[in-house]
Amino acid sequence: GQQVMQIPQYQHVQEGEDFTTYCNSSTTLSNIQWYKQRPGGHPVFLIQLVKSGEVKKQKRLTFQFGEAKKNSSLHITATQTTDVGTYFCAGGDNYGQNFVFGPGTRLSVLP
Amino acid sequence: EAGVAQSPRYKIIEKRQSVAFWCNPISGHATLYWYQQILGQGPKLLIQFQNNGVVDDSQLPKDRFSAERLKGVDSTLKIQPAKLEDSAVYLCASSPGTSGAYNEQFFGPGTRLTVL
């Protein structure tokens, strides 16, 4: 079945440094979604990418969907302590099913 | 707008007992999901409903797990009998529209289940 991997598993950065997490799927995705989960909280939707090669920005966050629609990345510029949490990518197949979450990248930001 | 409601928030049971979780999605959301999130892992989709019909239950352990959404609104997830490995947070999510995998999902606070 479809598998989604993320690297790195953990990332510790100093406040102000940049951060990137990468997401790779074993199969072509119809779309990719990114969620953030704060410690003790529930996943919160950040963004959805649908088109091949799509790039979207939200303030300090930049999201990219690969040309083959099998990989994606999330880049945070100048991290802040409020960015702490686990970032998950998730996607489904072309039939709108088999929706799978990646294992997540846990970000720690040291003040 | 009220969010996704779940109850109970916490549940502790012994193995081989039964347990049920309840979810009330955001009003008007056609698609409802149940996820299992084991500590340190990403959410794993158990079942997806579109209105009161099942869209995807391929990862639901059907020998012990069951779920229903009879009137296309709220839903219950049951485990009978529970095993130690069922200890996890059970998340309910909902999304508008009928193309489930293409829509933003709104998650509830989850039910933390501990099986002793």
Side-chain angles (χ1 to χ4, degrees):
Chain A
Q2 179 177 286
Q3 292 185 340
V4 175
M5 301 304 297
Q6 286 184 252
I7 55 171
Q9 188 176 3
Y10 302 96
Q11 185 76 59
H12 305 278
V13 300
Q14 203 74 35
E15 187 173 22
E17 292 182 338
D18 292 355
F19 160 76
T20 304
T21 174
Y22 299 91
C23 174
N24 291 285
S25 171
S26 59
T27 59
T28 301
L29 300 170
S30 63
N31 65 327
I32 193 88
Q33 296 178 359
W34 285 92
Y35 291 80
K36 176 183 178 181
Q37 186 172 26
R38 294 181 183 272
H42 56 273
V44 175
F45 178 84
L46 295 176
I47 208 160
Q48 174 169 277
L49 305 171
V50 179
K51 298 177 183 178
S52 171
E54 188 171 12
V55 178
K56 287 189 177 180
K57 292 188 176 183
Q58 286 181 351
K59 297 183 181 178
R60 296 178 294 105
L61 278 61
T62 302
F63 304 84
Q64 188 168 10
F65 201 9
E67 293 290 339
K69 302 184 75 173
K70 295 179 70 173
N71 58 74
S72 181
S73 64
L74 158 59
H75 179 82
I76 302 178
T77 303
T79 55
Q80 301 175 358
T81 54
T82 53
D83 295 326
V84 166
T86 301
Y87 292 85
F88 294 100
C89 64
D93 62 24
N94 288 323
Y95 302 97
Q97 295 189 357
N98 296 316
F99 195 75
V100 177
F101 273 77
T105 295
R106 183 179 299 177
L107 174 64
S108 298
V109 180
L110 303 175
Chain B
E1 178 180 79
V4 176
Q6 289 188 247
S7 67
R9 292 295 311 278
Y10 305 91
K11 190 72 176 179
I12 301 174
I13 61 173
E14 295 188 347
K15 60 183 179 183
R16 291 187 288 275
Q17 286 187 324
S18 301
V19 64
F21 313 124
W22 175 81
C23 171
N24 192 21
I26 292 173
S27 178
H29 280 195
T31 307
L32 184 148
Y33 313 78
W34 282 103
Y35 289 90
Q36 178 193 60
Q37 186 174 26
I38 293 172
L39 186 64
Q41 299 182 17
K44 171 188 169 184
L45 180 65
L46 295 175
I47 190 166
Q48 176 185 337
F49 292 96
Q50 181 174 301
N51 296 311
N52 61 349
V54 176
V55 173
D56 184 355
D57 64 354
S58 56
Q59 297 199 84
L60 186 72
K62 298 180 183 66
D63 58 333
R64 298 185 301 107
F65 286 65
S66 64
E68 59 183 15
R69 192 185 185 198
L70 292 176
K71 296 182 179 180
V73 181
D74 57 349
S75 175
T76 55
L77 175 69
K78 297 179 181 178
I79 307 176
Q80 181 179 12
K83 293 185 176 182
L84 296 177
E85 58 261 36
D86 297 333
S87 294
V89 174
Y90 290 84
L91 294 163
C92 178
S94 69
S95 63
T98 54
S99 298
Y102 300 91
N103 290 297
E104 169 183 357
Q105 295 181 35
F106 296 82
F107 282 81
T111 296
R112 183 176 298 276
L113 174 67
T114 301
V115 182
L116 303 176

